[in-house]
Amino acid sequence: QVQLVQSGAEVKKPGASVKVSCKASGYTFTSYDINWVRQATGQGLEWMGWMNPNSGNTGYAQKFQGRVTMTRNTSISTAYMELSSLRSEDTAVYYCARWNYKADYWGQGTLVTVSS
Amino acid sequence: QSALTQPASVSGSPGQSITISCTGTSSDVGGYNYVSWYQQHPGKAPKLMIYDVSNRPSGVSNRFSGSKSGNTASLTISGLQAEDEADYYCSSYTSSSTLEVFGTGTKVTVL
């Protein structure tokens, strides 16, 4: 069965960076894009960007341009999302999702807390 | 790119039908048949309920249906059940640099 398993919760100080991983199983990792979505507590879903695991090509929401980097390691079927220059407003649950014009499978989410 | 507009809340009694709207523009909802709907229970990851405007993934109840007219997409839940109480989000592909945009979210309450 298709599964996306994300890394555990993180606590970071303002200005630091965080790197969240998303390990895929149950399908061919390079056949579907991976998208990243975040959700602040009590707020809605916010699309951050996409990555094609086959080519490594990426596309980021304008809001995160310059601060976000999406990469992958195809040998271990794992996608990564790194967000830099963290501020308190980045405190949220970050999700990875398998994407083909729809997110049919989601990771369990990773809580990132930014606090001094 | 602004979020798609959804009503903040919709409620209904068990067995009734409710409809959630999702309004965008010709650059997103109106321009493409790539509208999806997600259900999210508290503390859980979203779950795909409808894709490509009106298609249901395997395993999703046929009480859930989707449609689109112009720049507005809709999700209808018929035969409302207690387990349907959750937040619902629409999303659409968009021609803007954002590529994908979510709706503002709707809280469904079963009375």
Side-chain angles (χ1 to χ4, degrees), chain A residues 13-16 63 67 84-91 114-115:
Chain A
K13 293 193 181 304
K63 174 177 181 177
R67 281 210 304 145
S84 62
S85 302
L86 290 169
R87 35 212 189 227
S88 58
E89 310 89 88
D90 294 318
T91 294
V114 182
S115 174

Side-chain angles (χ1 to χ4, degrees), chain A residues 12-89:
Chain A
K12 296 291 183 181
K13 293 193 181 304
S17 297
V18 67
K19 191 171 186 176
V20 179
S21 67
C22 170
K23 182 171 177 60
S25 61
Y27 73 99
T28 302
F29 177 61
T30 51
S31 295
Y32 294 83
D33 286 359
I34 292 287
N35 281 26
W36 291 86
V37 175
R38 77 177 186 180
Q39 185 174 38
T41 302
Q43 303 299 308
L45 301 173
E46 182 175 31
W47 186 81
M48 298 182 68
W50 63 269
M51 182 198 63
N52 181 304
N54 186 47
S55 63
N57 289 342
T58 57
Y60 305 136
Q62 192 168 8
K63 174 177 181 177
F64 300 102
Q65 289 272 4
R67 281 210 304 145
V68 70
T69 304
M70 296 177 188
T71 57
R72 87 292 190 211
N73 183 334
T74 55
S75 67
I76 56 173
S77 300
T78 300
Y80 302 92
M81 186 284 299
E82 183 170 20
L83 188 62
S84 62
S85 302
L86 290 169
R87 35 212 189 227
S88 58
E89 310 89 88

Side-chain angles (χ1 to χ4, degrees), chain A residues 35 37 39 43-47 49-50 59-62 65 95 99-109, chain B residues 1 34-36 38 40 43-48 50-52 87 89 91 93 97-104:
Chain A
N35 281 26
V37 175
Q39 185 174 38
Q43 303 299 308
L45 301 173
E46 182 175 31
W47 186 81
W50 63 269
Y60 305 136
Q62 192 168 8
Q65 289 272 4
Y95 294 102
W99 205 280
N100 182 19
Y101 293 102
K102 59 188 180 287
D104 55 359
Y105 291 93
W106 294 67
Q108 83 276 20
Chain B
Q1 174 70 49
Y34 292 127
V35 177
S36 301
Y38 302 91
Q40 187 180 35
K44 301 293 188 182
K47 174 186 176 183
L48 178 67
I50 295 288
Y51 67 96
D52 296 352
D87 293 325
Y89 294 91
S91 76
Y93 177 82
S97 59
T98 305
L99 295 184
E100 189 75 18
V101 61
F102 283 100
T104 49

Side-chain angles (χ1 to χ4, degrees), chain B residues 4-106:
Chain B
L4 306 176
T5 301
Q6 298 180 232
S9 62
V10 173
S11 61
S13 299
Q16 286 187 328
S17 293
I18 62 170
T19 297
I20 304 167
S21 61
C22 169
T23 301
T25 69
S26 57
S27 296
D28 38 65
V29 174
Y32 306 93
N33 287 324
Y34 292 127
V35 177
S36 301
W37 289 90
Y38 302 91
Q39 176 192 66
Q40 187 180 35
H41 286 109
K44 301 293 188 182
K47 174 186 176 183
L48 178 67
M49 305 301 284
I50 295 288
Y51 67 96
D52 296 352
V53 176
S54 60
N55 293 302
R56 269 190 316 276
S58 172
V60 171
S61 171
N62 59 9
R63 297 185 299 104
F64 292 84
S65 62
S67 63
K68 188 183 84 168
S69 177
N71 296 336
T72 298
S74 298
L75 173 71
T76 297
I77 308 174
S78 58
L80 200 61
Q81 298 180 1
E83 67 208 49
D84 300 332
E85 188 162 290
D87 293 325
Y88 291 82
Y89 294 91
C90 62
S91 76
S92 173
Y93 177 82
T94 169
S95 58
S96 78
S97 59
T98 305
L99 295 184
E100 189 75 18
V101 61
F102 283 100
T104 49
T106 298

